[in-house]
Amino acid sequence: MFLSRTLPMILVFVMGIIGFSLYFIPHPAARQFENTLSQWSIAIGSFAIFLAITSLIRRYINNIKRGKDVFYSIVALVALFGMAGLGLFAGIDEKSLFQKIFINVNVPLDATMFSLLAFYVTSAAYRAFRARNVEATLLLVTAVVVILGISTIGDTQVWLRKTAEWIMNVPNLAQKRGILIGVGLGVIATSVKIILGIERNWMGG
Amino acid sequence: MIGLVLSVLLSLNGVEVQARDVPDDQGGAVELRVNFSRPLDISKILIYRVANGDTVSKKVAELDVNGQTKIKYIDKHVKNGVPVQYTLFLISQLGDTLGTVRTQMVEAKPSIFNKRKTFLLLAVLSYIALLIYFMSQARRGRELYLRPIAGLIEVDNAIGRATEMGRPILFSPGLSTISDVATIAALNILAYITRKVAAYETRIIVPVYDPIVYTIAQEVVKDAYTAAGRPDLYRAEDVFFLTSRQFAYAAGVSGIMVREKTAANFFMGYFFAESLILAETGASTGAIQIAGTDAVTQLPFFITACDYTLMGEELYAAGAYLAKDPRLTATIKGQDVMKATLATLLLLITLIAFIGPKLGLHINWETFKAYIVGL
């Protein structure tokens, strides 16, 4: 109980107070301590990667045993071990096979997923801009003004460009700031709850 | 003494030089201010520094005057605790040395407290005091009214729907690390949802992006099943690390939603461009979707593609709201009171900015802003 509950709560309380104080202390010793903490988190993170990869392997092996998504699981395991083996034994320099696979397979796959966003944005915009009620109609009109204003049409129609800029810089920025103020207050409240040990879900409830 | 000002004012033919330790910093810097009280034929200033005990001075800067009457230069390469002296050579347009000005010894020192952040510290401490006040009120049994948050009311319905359909629930804790408070807030919500899921004997799938978040999510889910009295239902392979690449994660989670036919999807935490891919794929499978994020740029996507969205601070309030622990819900009340206070202050400041000049009240807003935010 002490090691699983009390000690983590004491550590969180002490480190929480120190972390808060460090923000107001510009002394080099404070910066040094902050850097040390960052290095600790990197060290802890490397242990976590080991656990995370283990969970990944366990999941795919279980899938193969159960005959569920067998093909995908084999592809994932071959890719995982293949790339790790290539990196460890054949190097990761610019001309290595590891880099060639990364640049010619991984990067295009990433780009493919990213490019899908264009279609998803169109589909989402269609749903959002349907003029079903007053609010949706206002949204539609505002969106049309902003889209036209920041496009090449805005170069010839100055009033459209200025209206679009006003929408982005005044009402849009005001709501963004409103949300950010709320976020800031929420972050402080959550941090206080964790530091004081009232919120304990992060260590399992 | 913190921020000790070792300044000296020398005057030579209408030239004033002030050298002082830069206050509220980590040390290693000395500020030089040169003021010309009358127009002079000076094109350049050469600045040389000599440390106490050294015999050779070192050129540290060459500043163009260009008709300026005030020049500020910060030397950021001074050793802490070592007195230094500066000599300024005033060079004419023709390249002649018109004169030299030498400062007295000045010493760079690190500060223990950044005084410019005093207001910020007081504001944060006041807010914390307010939160603690409401927590103590709640502990004494005072009833606190909380505004209803639609997205949170629907959490139970979404879990119930998944249970009735006999399909799993998907929970994504976002793509940020554990140092992000949004991720911690997401894990708080995960704990509540898992307890409900355990009670209803429904399956929950938690694909995780960050290895550290994975280890914590694993513990949160495991303990929530135990707390609900159903440790037998816990499946370790359902909480797993997927990948640490953004779009590979989006592809992986989308695949899970389509293959597993999840009935309810929860996207809680910090998301980036992949938010729309996740939400649109989930919407296409017909799942009920509840998202919560403080990423302002991703909110429109979630609002469009999800059934309910927790915006900004609602994400942080969710854990407390769902847990129904009076001490936790009291912090939501504190947040609301602080927001109302800030809104009133902003309104007052806006009014002063509009009416002030007409009443002869002139405020330097740049200085005011720097003081408020501690710059």
Side-chain angles (χ1 to χ4, degrees):
Chain A
M1 188 68 182
F2 176 78
L3 284 175
S4 64
R5 296 275 163 195
T6 316
L7 185 64
M9 279 172 64
I10 293 170
L11 282 174
V12 163
F13 179 78
V14 173
M15 296 311 288
I17 300 290
I18 290 173
F20 175 71
S21 310
L22 285 177
Y23 182 71
F24 298 94
I25 304 170
H27 199 281
R31 298 282 76 80
Q32 179 66 38
F33 185 64
E34 212 169 10
N35 289 339
T36 309
L37 290 181
S38 301
Q39 284 164 5
W40 285 1
S41 68
I42 292 168
I44 294 166
S46 58
F47 283 109
I49 287 172
F50 178 75
L51 292 170
I53 299 292
T54 308
S55 89
L56 193 75
I57 295 167
R58 188 176 54 200
R59 178 177 167 81
Y60 290 128
I61 288 175
N62 280 345
N63 276 356
I64 293 167
K65 278 182 188 169
R66 286 177 192 160
K68 187 184 162 194
D69 300 331
V70 176
F71 178 71
Y72 297 126
S73 302
I74 290 171
V75 168
L77 285 174
V78 168
L80 176 70
F81 286 110
M83 285 299 274
L86 277 177
L88 283 170
F89 301 112
I92 54 166
D93 56 76
E94 274 184 31
K95 290 178 182 171
S96 65
L97 186 58
F98 180 92
Q99 282 294 342
K100 279 180 183 162
I101 294 175
F102 185 81
I103 291 165
N104 296 302
V105 178
N106 215 325
V107 173
L109 285 174
D110 263 359
T112 307
M113 282 306 291
F114 188 57
S115 60
L116 284 176
L117 266 178
F119 301 100
Y120 284 129
V121 167
T122 314
S123 134
Y126 171 74
R127 283 210 305 276
F129 297 156
R130 270 182 300 181
R132 287 165 299 184
N133 49 38
V134 181
E135 287 92 342
T137 313
L138 270 175
L139 187 69
L140 173 67
V141 173
T142 313
V144 168
V145 170
V146 172
I147 290 168
L148 294 179
I150 61 169
S151 67
T152 45
I153 296 169
D155 294 338
T156 52
Q157 304 293 318
V158 180
W159 67 272
L160 206 58
R161 168 68 51 92
K162 285 192 171 173
T163 312
E165 282 173 0
W166 181 84
I167 290 169
M168 295 304 287
N169 293 334
V170 182
N172 181 57
L173 194 61
Q175 66 82 21
K176 266 188 183 178
R177 285 179 179 168
I179 292 173
L180 288 174
I181 288 172
V183 168
L185 294 175
V187 168
I188 296 173
T190 307
S191 306
V192 168
K193 282 184 281 186
I194 293 169
I195 289 170
L196 296 179
I198 298 166
E199 179 68 81
R200 296 174 197 174
N201 278 324
W202 58 273
M203 53 177 186
Chain B
M1 193 179 136
I2 302 163
L4 181 69
V5 180
L6 290 170
S7 67
V8 77
L9 210 63
L10 291 180
S11 185
L12 178 81
N13 298 328
V15 183
E16 284 180 0
V17 180
Q18 192 181 22
R20 64 167 192 163
D21 169 42
V22 175
D24 306 318
D25 71 341
Q26 56 179 353
V30 168
E31 181 186 277
L32 291 169
R33 281 174 189 264
V34 185
N35 290 330
F36 299 104
S37 55
R38 62 186 175 84
L40 290 168
D41 179 35
I42 296 171
S43 67
K44 278 180 185 174
I45 299 174
L46 305 181
I47 303 174
Y48 284 78
R49 180 187 66 215
V50 64
N52 193 23
D54 282 358
T55 48
V56 183
S57 59
K58 185 185 172 188
K59 186 179 172 184
V60 290
E62 185 176 318
L63 308 175
D64 288 325
V65 177
N66 294 331
Q68 296 173 84
T69 54
K70 287 180 180 178
I71 294 173
K72 182 177 152 186
Y73 173 74
I74 294 176
D75 182 7
K76 293 178 180 172
H77 304 285
V78 184
K79 277 187 181 174
N80 282 331
V82 178
V84 291
Q85 188 176 40
Y86 292 90
T87 306
L88 281 73
F89 292 85
L90 311 173
I91 310 297
S92 73
Q93 301 285 355
L94 298 169
D96 303 326
T97 304
L98 290 177
T100 60
V101 183
R102 187 168 290 160
T103 68
Q104 281 188 347
M105 287 290 182
V106 60
E107 198 177 300
K109 285 185 175 180
S111 304
I112 301 294
F113 176 70
N114 187 345
K115 291 193 292 299
R116 283 173 295 173
K117 289 181 177 171
T118 308
F119 179 83
L120 200 62
L121 177 65
L122 290 174
V124 174
L125 289 178
S126 309
Y127 177 44
I128 292 171
L130 188 74
L131 292 174
I132 292 171
Y133 166 75
F134 278 110
M135 282 186 222
S136 68
Q137 290 290 306
R139 200 186 293 175
R140 284 175 196 164
R142 184 181 153 190
E143 290 270 326
L144 299 168
Y145 170 76
L146 291 178
R147 66 198 152 88
I149 300 172
L152 295 176
I153 294 164
E154 287 303 316
V155 167
D156 286 355
N157 292 342
I159 299 168
R161 183 174 181 262
T163 308
E164 281 170 12
M165 294 173 85
R167 290 202 214 154
I169 288 167
L170 181 124
F171 187 98
S172 168
L175 274 75
S176 195
T177 60
I178 198 66
S179 57
D180 192 336
V181 186
T183 308
I184 298 174
L187 292 173
N188 290 338
I189 301 167
L190 173 64
Y192 172 82
I193 291 174
T194 309
R195 280 196 289 270
K196 279 277 173 190
V197 158
Y200 294 154
E201 297 184 15
T202 308
R203 189 178 158 214
I204 185 165
I205 303 169
V206 188
V208 188
Y209 174 83
D210 181 79
I212 299 177
V213 177
Y214 154 72
T215 55
I216 299 167
Q218 182 97 43
E219 283 302 305
V220 166
V221 173
K222 194 177 176 182
D223 282 21
Y225 270 108
T226 310
R230 295 305 305 268
D232 54 305
L233 292 176
Y234 169 67
R235 289 167 52 141
E237 69 266 28
D238 278 345
V239 184
F240 58 98
F241 167 73
L242 190 61
T243 171
S244 277
R245 287 189 68 82
Q246 183 188 12
F247 289 106
Y249 182 82
V253 175
S254 298
I256 292 166
M257 287 190 283
V258 173
R259 286 195 302 275
E260 300 280 354
K261 295 180 177 62
T262 51
N265 300 327
F266 294 92
F267 306 113
M268 302 284 174
Y270 201 91
F271 291 86
F272 299 87
E274 73 295 332
S275 64
L276 190 61
I277 297 176
L278 299 175
E280 277 287 302
T281 309
S284 71
T285 63
I288 185 166
Q289 302 200 104
I290 302 178
T293 188
D294 60 350
V296 180
T297 46
Q298 305 309 321
L299 275 172
F301 298 136
F302 278 140
I303 291 168
T304 308
C306 292
D307 299 282
Y308 298 95
T309 306
L310 306 176
M311 290 191 279
E313 37 130 16
E314 288 176 352
L315 171 70
Y316 300 103
Y321 200 99
L322 294 168
K324 293 183 176 68
D325 178 340
R327 287 182 306 168
L328 292 175
T329 48
T331 58
I332 304 175
K333 192 76 186 169
Q335 272 175 254
D336 286 350
V337 170
M338 195 63 184
K339 254 195 313 183
T341 312
L342 287 176
T344 312
L345 279 173
L346 284 172
L347 204 65
L348 274 173
I349 292 166
T350 311
L351 272 174
I352 292 169
F354 274 111
I355 304 166
K358 287 174 186 169
L359 301 172
L361 190 68
H362 297 284
I363 295 167
N364 184 337
W365 292 108
E366 283 305 312
T367 312
F368 180 79
K369 186 179 151 192
Y371 184 69
I372 295 290
V373 297
L375 291 172

